[in-house]
């Protein structure tokens, strides 16, 4: 898929809000996991408040780094947030705590928006088919850490971002949507990251809307 146009020119034909869905609490309740700056979290909140995700709501943000940008954005945006610090827990206990928090908030669909922890089957099974991740490369290229650096080191001329379902193998679940981004001759890490992030902020809400539609159709039978 080519780079998405501006939202005002967005030609994606996504039907939203969903009609009432048995098995889904209207509106679709989103939980977001974030470790860093939180720009994708903010894009999701904005999309719920008048964009492609109108009719959904981000009901909870969970961060693992105290005081991170995502937490500060949540304060500004008025979204409830919770700190679940990975430093005090094993991977398994971290994910058990995440599931417990997400279930307490009756979350329907979980978005890993810059969640820099490897997740375990505990979280994946609790939200099977309802747990998505965004990754800054055209998967299956450049899985794992520093995908932008990997793309620059490999000298590719096309990179991008991917939203996918989370599976046990890192960055390997079913691909929901991708956006391609050119790598320019004079790009450095920061310029390429910025160009990819512009597309992420459009792609992530669109992919979540797509998955919401799919879950709605499944619930309808
Ligand atoms: C995003 O670019 C996302 O693709 C990446 O972290 C950034 C978070 O930015 N995720 C990964 O690399 C996961 N492997 P943000 O905090 O501004 O949303």
């Amino acid at each position: 898929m080519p780079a998405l146009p501006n939202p005002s020119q967005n030609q994606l034909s996504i039907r939203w809000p969903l009609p009432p869905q048995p098995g889904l609490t209207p509106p679709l309740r989103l939980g977001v996991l974030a470790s860093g700056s939180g720009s994708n979290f903010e894009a999701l909140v904005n999309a719920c408040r008048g964009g492609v995700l109108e009719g959904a709501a981000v009901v909870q943000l969970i961060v693992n780094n105290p005081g991170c940008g995502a937490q500060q954005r949540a304060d500004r945006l008025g979204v409830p947030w919770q700190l679940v610090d990975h430093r005090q827990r094993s991977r398994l206990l971290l994910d058990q705590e995440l599931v417990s928090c997400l279930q307490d908030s009756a979350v329907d669909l979980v978005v890993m928006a810059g969640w820099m922890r490897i997740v375990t089957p505990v979280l994946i099974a609790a939200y099977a088919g309802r747990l998505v991740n965004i990754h800054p490369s055209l998967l299956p290229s450049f899985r794992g850490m520093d995908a932008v650096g990997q793309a620059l080191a490999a000298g590719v001329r096309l990179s991008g971002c991917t939203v996918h379902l989370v599976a046990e193998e890192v960055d390997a679940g079913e691909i929901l949507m991708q956006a391609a981004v050119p790598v320019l001759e004079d790009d450095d890490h920061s310029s390429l990251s910025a160009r990819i992030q512009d597309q992420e902020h459009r792609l992530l809400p669109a992919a979540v809307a797509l998955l919401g539609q799919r879950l709605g159709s499944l619930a309808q039978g």
Side-chain angles (χ1 to χ4, degrees), residues 34-41 73 113-116 133-136 144-147 161 171 196-197 200-201:
S35 301
S37 130
S39 67
N40 281 287
F41 156 70
R73 287 179 201 255
W115 181 248
M116 297 307 189
N133 180 46
I134 184 154
H135 185 75
M145 294 298 291
D146 192 17
C161 45
D171 298 329
I196 290 174
Q197 282 226 321
E200 288 188 333
H201 300 159

Side-chain angles (χ1 to χ4, degrees), residues 41-194:
F41 156 70
E42 181 158 357
L44 280 171
V45 173
N46 290 338
C48 290
R49 294 177 178 177
V52 73
L53 274 168
E54 208 167 355
V58 177
V59 295
Q60 187 184 35
L61 169 74
I62 300 178
V63 300
N64 63 317
N65 289 320
C68 67
Q71 178 186 319
Q72 292 167 28
R73 287 179 201 255
D75 279 335
R76 172 164 53 78
L77 294 164
V79 175
W81 61 266
Q82 206 164 338
L83 171 67
V84 182
D85 196 330
H86 64 279
R87 294 162 193 88
Q88 296 152 14
R89 302 167 171 87
S90 66
R91 259 190 228 292
L92 212 60
L93 286 177
L94 176 72
D95 281 3
Q96 280 170 354
E97 184 65 22
L98 293 180
V99 171
S100 158
C101 295
L102 293 163
Q103 288 178 345
D104 283 351
S105 298
V107 163
D108 297 312
L109 197 158
V110 182
V111 183
M112 291 166 45
W115 181 248
M116 297 307 189
R117 309 302 305 165
I118 291 175
V119 297
T120 69
V122 168
L123 180 61
I124 296 169
Y127 284 91
R130 295 166 178 253
L131 177 64
V132 304
N133 180 46
I134 184 154
H135 185 75
S137 77
L138 291 176
L139 290 173
S141 294
F142 311 129
R143 293 175 176 167
M145 294 298 291
D146 192 17
V148 173
Q150 291 184 55
L152 287 170
V156 294
R157 286 287 151 243
L158 199 61
S159 187
C161 45
T162 303
V163 180
H164 63 96
L165 289 177
V166 176
E168 284 189 38
E169 194 181 341
V170 174
D171 298 329
E174 178 192 334
I175 291 172
L176 295 172
M177 277 192 184
Q178 294 184 299
V181 168
V183 182
L184 305 182
E185 206 61 57
D186 57 353
D187 261 338
D188 57 17
H189 200 286
S190 112
S191 62
L192 181 56
S193 295

